[in-house]
Structure formats: C-alpha cells, structure tokens
C-alpha cells in the first residue's frame, strides 16, 4: 500500500475514534491499548523534557494498567455524565459532619498520641509555630493516625485519571510530579501508595503538595510521609506554615450573635477587629473575654448554618486550615477537635437546626435564582458556602424578613 494511503487510513481511524457515539464506545482492551500508546508517545516526551530519566519512567509505569473501577472516568467515545446522584442527594444540616463517632474517635486518638509523641510535637511547634493539637487533628482526620489503608498504586491511579478523568490537565500535572518524586529518590515507585484520588501517605498530600510541603523531620534523608510519624507531623505543620499560619494565635472562638447583628456580615472579606465585634454585642459562649492580644487583631464572622447553628469569630488561621481542604466544615472540624485534644473542650454550645427536606439540586436552583437577582452566590454547585449564605441573608433583609442566611424549603420556593 502506498504511504499516502497509510496516512489516509490512520486519519480515518482517528476521526472514527473521536466521533464514535457512546453506544459504539471503545472496548476496555482497546482503551488499554490506547493508554499504553499514550504513555510512550505523549507522556514520555513531556516527562523527558522535565528531567525524568527513562529508567525512572519505566520503573514507575512498567506494568501499570488502567483502573476502570475508579470514579469519574469517561471512556473514549462517551460524554461526561452529569452528576445526577449528587444533584439528587439529600441536603441536610451541616451538623452531620460533626457526628459524635467521628469527633470522638479523632479526639481520643489525638489525646493518646499527644502524650506518645509529645517531644516530636514540641519540636514541630517550635520549628513551624503550629500547635501540636492542630497537627494531630489533621492527622487523625486524614488517615486515622496512619491506620487507614492506602492501597492503590499511585501511578495506576494518576495514569488512569490523566487518561480518562474529566480533569485531565490537573491529573497530568500530578502524575508528572509523582515521577519527579521518584526521580529525586524520595521514595521508590513501588512504595508510592495513594488513595483512589491520588493523595499520598498519612497527610494525604497530592504529589505537587508533597514536593512543596513534605519534610524530612526525622533526619534520615527521606521525606517519608507513608511510614515516618515525625515526617508526617512535620510535613502537616510545614504545609500550614507555608500557607501563613500565624504563630501564637488561635483558630477561632464560638460566640453568641445578637439579632441586631446581621448574619450577612459573614466572610473572609468582611473582617473587623475583635474589639469591634465585641462592641457589636458578640460574646464568647464561655463568658470569657476575647484574649487581650486579639483586641486589634482581625476576626471574621463564621456562621456555617446561618441562624440554624453555632456561630464563631475566627482568625486568619481558620482560613489557613481551609487551605488544607477547601471546606468551612473541614476547617471547623479541625479547630474544634484540636480544642478538645488540647483542653478537653466540650461540644459546641449551640445545636445544629433541622434544615432537611431539600436536595442538592434545590440548592443549585436557589443559587442560580440569587445570581439572576444580582447576588454573588459563589457559583451554582449545590453547596451553600459563605457567599450563598450571606446572599440569602441580604435578600431576606430586603424583603423585610428575619435573616437566617441558610436555605430551607420555604426560602427555595420564595426566591424561585
């Protein structure tokens, strides 16, 4: 066959692959063959350009096959599925995030390890300024203090995600970072285990975070967040320090907020000195004054369930915790459990209200309705973050309603 005919048939084959309808999508063996070609013809040239040796590339990816059991994959020829399950999942009180079993397990585990690793934690705090109880709370939440199995081959996960997931560019960056970790000798390829999402070791760092934040705290020449407790604790603290943890400041305080203070004042862009919040009538629930050192320090109102749950004045350190996991509830969990580890603090004084009966799709519709009315709801993702909450409060106030700053059935119906 003439060369130009070969090229023509190759082009036709590519067109067929790209435009095949879902009903005729490639079989798994075909996709696997495409993956192996992609490793050699697409990924390897970029890895080589980034200084990865062929020996490292082969060590990490030899024998690696696609893991079709991972979530959020899109087979060639198929269209990404809309997140119907999430949209139709029940939306309930944020209080579910603070179930007694999880809080108590992380608290008791952290309390026990506070004594066991006291010397290491003191050294970590001296080095990075992050209290040991904060580090312990994160360690416990992320991997059950190293007890949770991390079973997956990181290269199989990251390779599969890069080739088949919807966020290919993000996972490609992480896959190349994982290769760099092996190239630099931080850990052998066969020992690099991850979660199903590609997060590594006991702190659950993505590979790029490992390169930026993992440290060799036990001085053995390795940054071993899989097996070394000192490296794990030091790496968590180093992560927070690099994101701006302020030495000597707490994360925040549970408070009472009088009805005269709008819940729409919430958010990291509406900070006020602690003394100003105090003049507005906001007080700590334990009756103690805010620390004198915080009088001129900036604090931020946090009401994760609006008027249906506990309220807090938090410091910038709260938002540093949020850098670990971009969720108000995650950061609040870490702060709350750290208090319980440090001084046996009780549960939140205010309870979480009943705001059930809605679905994520209802929240999405609410957010879209608010945005159509000119409010910044922070996007229509089905999760009522602070921008959604305060937009609700502003809308309620303009309607002459008592501001609750949280969605419920009547509110969804009214704003629609």
């Amino acid at each position: 066959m003439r060369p130009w005919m070969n090229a023509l048939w190759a082009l036709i084959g590519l067109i067929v692959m790209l435009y095949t309808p879902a009903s005729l999508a490639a079989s798994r063996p075909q996709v696997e063959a495409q993956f192996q070609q992609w490793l050699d013809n697409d990924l390897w040239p970029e890895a080589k350009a980034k200084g990865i040796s062929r020996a490292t590339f082969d060590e990490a990816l030899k024998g690696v096959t696609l893991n079709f059991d991972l979530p959020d994959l899109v087979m060639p020829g198929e269209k990404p599925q809309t997140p119907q399950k999430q949209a139709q999942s029940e939306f309930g009180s944020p209080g579910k995030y603070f179930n007694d079993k999880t809080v108590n397990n992380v608290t008791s585990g952290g309390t026990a390890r506070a004594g066991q690793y006291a010397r290491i934690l003191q050294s970590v705090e001296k080095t990075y300024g992050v209290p040991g109880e904060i580090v312990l709370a994160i360690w416990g939440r992320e991997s059950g203090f190293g007890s949770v199995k991390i079973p997956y081959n990181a290269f199989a996960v990251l390779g599969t995600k890069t080739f088949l997931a919807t966020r290919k560019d993000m996972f490609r960056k992480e896959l190349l970072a994982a290769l760099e970790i092996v190239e630099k000798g931080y850990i052998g390829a066969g020992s690099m285990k991850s979660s199903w999402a590609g997060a590594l070791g006991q702190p659950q760092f993505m590979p790029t975070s490992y390169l930026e934040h993992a440290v060799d705290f036990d001085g053995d020449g390795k940054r071993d967040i899989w097996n070394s407790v000192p490296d794990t604790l030091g790496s968590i603290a180093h992560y927070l320090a690099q994101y701006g943890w302020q030495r000597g400041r707490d994360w925040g305080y549970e408070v009472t907020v009088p009805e005269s203070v709008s819940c729409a004042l919430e958010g990291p862009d509406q900070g006020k000195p602690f003394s100003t919040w105090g003049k507005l009538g906001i007080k700590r629930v334990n009756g103690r004054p805010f620390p004198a050192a915080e009088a001129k320090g900036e604090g931020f109102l946090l009401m994760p369930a609006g008027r249906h749950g506990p309220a807090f004045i938090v410091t910038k350190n709260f938002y540093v915790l949020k850098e670990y996991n971009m969720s108000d509830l995650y950061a609040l969990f870490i702060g709350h459990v750290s208090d319980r580890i440090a001084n046996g603090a009780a549960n939140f004084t205010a309870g979480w209200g009943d705001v059930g009966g809605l679905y994520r799709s209802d929240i999405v519709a609410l957010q879209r309705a608010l945005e159509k009315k000119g409010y910044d709801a922070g996007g229509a993702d089905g999760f009522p973050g602070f921008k959604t909450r305060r937009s609700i409060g502003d809308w309620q106030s303009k309607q002459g309603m008592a501001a609750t700053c949280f969605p419920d059935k009547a509110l969804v119906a009214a704003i629609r």
Side-chain angles (χ1 to χ4, degrees), residues 364-378:
V364 169
L366 173 65
Q367 290 167 325
R368 287 174 178 163
L370 285 167
E371 290 183 340
K372 285 183 179 179
K373 295 178 184 295
Y375 293 94
D376 178 8

Side-chain angles (χ1 to χ4, degrees), residues 339-410:
D339 286 348
R340 294 176 68 135
I341 294 171
N343 52 39
N347 206 344
F348 299 127
T349 300
W352 300 93
D354 181 12
V355 289
L358 295 174
Y359 295 91
R360 292 291 176 193
S361 54
D362 294 319
I363 309 303
V364 169
L366 173 65
Q367 290 167 325
R368 287 174 178 163
L370 285 167
E371 290 183 340
K372 285 183 179 179
K373 295 178 184 295
Y375 293 94
D376 178 8
D381 59 2
F383 297 91
F386 75 90
K387 289 186 177 181
T388 297
R389 297 194 294 265
R390 70 189 188 190
S391 294
I392 290 172
D394 283 337
W395 181 85
Q396 289 171 318
S397 295
K398 289 179 180 178
Q399 308 308 309
M401 302 165 62
T404 63
C405 297
F406 209 71
D408 56 41
K409 271 188 173 182

Side-chain angles (χ1 to χ4, degrees), residues 21-78:
S23 60
L24 298 176
S27 67
R28 288 190 175 186
Q30 289 173 321
V31 176
E32 184 66 53
Q34 293 170 18
F35 173 65
Q36 297 301 327
Q37 291 177 352
W38 171 82
L39 288 175
D40 279 335
N41 300 332
D42 189 327
L43 186 66
W44 163 241
E46 183 174 0
K48 181 180 180 181
K50 289 183 176 294
I52 307 300
S53 69
R54 187 73 209 198
T56 293
F57 190 86
D58 289 344
E59 178 193 3
L61 294 164
K62 184 178 180 179
V64 166
T65 58
L66 292 169
N67 184 343
F68 293 102
D69 294 328
L70 297 176
D72 304 321
L73 304 183
V74 183
M75 295 286 280
E78 293 183 349

Side-chain angles (χ1 to χ4, degrees), residues 210-283:
Y210 175 97
L211 289 172
E212 293 177 15
H213 308 301
V215 296
D216 171 23
F217 206 75
D218 59 13
D220 68 352
K222 301 177 182 178
R223 294 196 264 173
D224 187 0
I225 61 173
W226 291 266
N227 305 297
S228 168
V229 170
D231 288 2
T232 295
L233 300 179
S235 296
I236 292 171
H238 186 231
Y239 184 106
L240 298 177
Q242 286 190 304
Y243 274 102
W245 184 272
Q246 296 180 338
R247 188 186 292 262
R249 296 192 80 186
D250 209 331
W251 66 270
Y253 310 88
E254 187 183 357
V255 298
T256 56
V257 180
E259 294 295 330
S260 58
V261 177
S262 173
C263 50
L265 290 175
E266 183 183 5
D269 53 350
Q270 299 193 97
K272 303 178 188 297
F274 271 78
S275 58
T276 301
W277 290 117
K279 291 176 182 177
L280 291 173
I282 292 178
K283 299 178 181 179

Side-chain angles (χ1 to χ4, degrees), residues 70-357:
L70 297 176
D72 304 321
L73 304 183
V74 183
M75 295 286 280
E78 293 183 349
K79 294 182 179 179
Q81 298 295 309
T82 55
Q84 291 295 327
K85 287 187 178 180
Q86 177 175 303
Q88 293 306 318
S89 63
E90 182 181 356
F91 170 75
S93 168
K96 292 180 179 180
Y97 198 90
F98 300 89
N99 67 82
D100 288 340
K101 182 178 180 180
T102 303
V103 170
N104 291 338
N105 283 346
V106 180
T107 299
S108 61
T111 301
R113 287 163 179 80
Q116 182 180 1
Y117 298 113
R119 182 183 60 80
I120 297 171
L121 290 166
Q122 289 169 3
S123 181
V124 166
E125 182 168 0
K126 181 179 180 180
T127 303
Y128 300 115
V130 181
E133 55 269 18
I134 290 285
V135 176
L136 288 168
I138 291 176
W139 185 26
R141 181 68 187 183
E142 293 297 328
S143 65
F145 307 101
S147 67
V148 173
K149 291 184 179 180
I150 305 171
Y152 295 101
N153 179 311
F155 291 101
V157 170
L158 295 169
T160 300
K161 293 280 190 178
T162 304
F163 193 66
L164 292 178
T166 53
R167 295 181 292 170
K168 290 181 173 62
D169 289 344
M170 184 201 84
F171 283 108
R172 187 183 185 101
K173 182 179 179 181
E174 298 297 342
L175 177 55
L176 290 166
L179 288 167
E180 184 179 345
I181 291 170
V182 176
E183 180 69 30
K184 291 184 174 180
Y186 296 137
I187 190 170
S191 300
M192 193 183 293
K193 301 297 183 181
S194 78
S195 70
W196 61 265
L200 307 175
Q202 297 183 44
Q204 285 292 275
F205 284 172
M206 293 302 288
T208 52
S209 287
Y210 175 97
L211 289 172
E212 293 177 15
H213 308 301
V215 296
D216 171 23
F217 206 75
D218 59 13
D220 68 352
K222 301 177 182 178
R223 294 196 264 173
D224 187 0
I225 61 173
W226 291 266
N227 305 297
S228 168
V229 170
D231 288 2
T232 295
L233 300 179
S235 296
I236 292 171
H238 186 231
Y239 184 106
L240 298 177
Q242 286 190 304
Y243 274 102
W245 184 272
Q246 296 180 338
R247 188 186 292 262
R249 296 192 80 186
D250 209 331
W251 66 270
Y253 310 88
E254 187 183 357
V255 298
T256 56
V257 180
E259 294 295 330
S260 58
V261 177
S262 173
C263 50
L265 290 175
E266 183 183 5
D269 53 350
Q270 299 193 97
K272 303 178 188 297
F274 271 78
S275 58
T276 301
W277 290 117
K279 291 176 182 177
L280 291 173
I282 292 178
K283 299 178 181 179
R284 295 177 66 180
V285 294
N286 61 13
R288 299 174 187 167
F290 292 117
E294 288 286 11
K296 295 181 180 180
E298 192 173 28
F300 310 87
L301 180 63
L302 173 73
M303 300 181 73
R307 291 285 179 180
H308 299 289
F312 308 86
I313 298 295
V314 300
T315 70
K316 288 186 177 180
N317 283 344
F318 174 86
Y319 294 103
V320 173
L321 292 176
K322 195 173 172 180
E323 291 290 346
Y324 210 99
N325 182 318
M326 290 305 293
S327 162
D328 286 340
L329 297 182
Y330 176 89
L332 183 57
F333 181 97
I334 299 303
H336 176 57
V337 170
S338 74
D339 286 348
R340 294 176 68 135
I341 294 171
N343 52 39
N347 206 344
F348 299 127
T349 300
W352 300 93
D354 181 12
V355 289

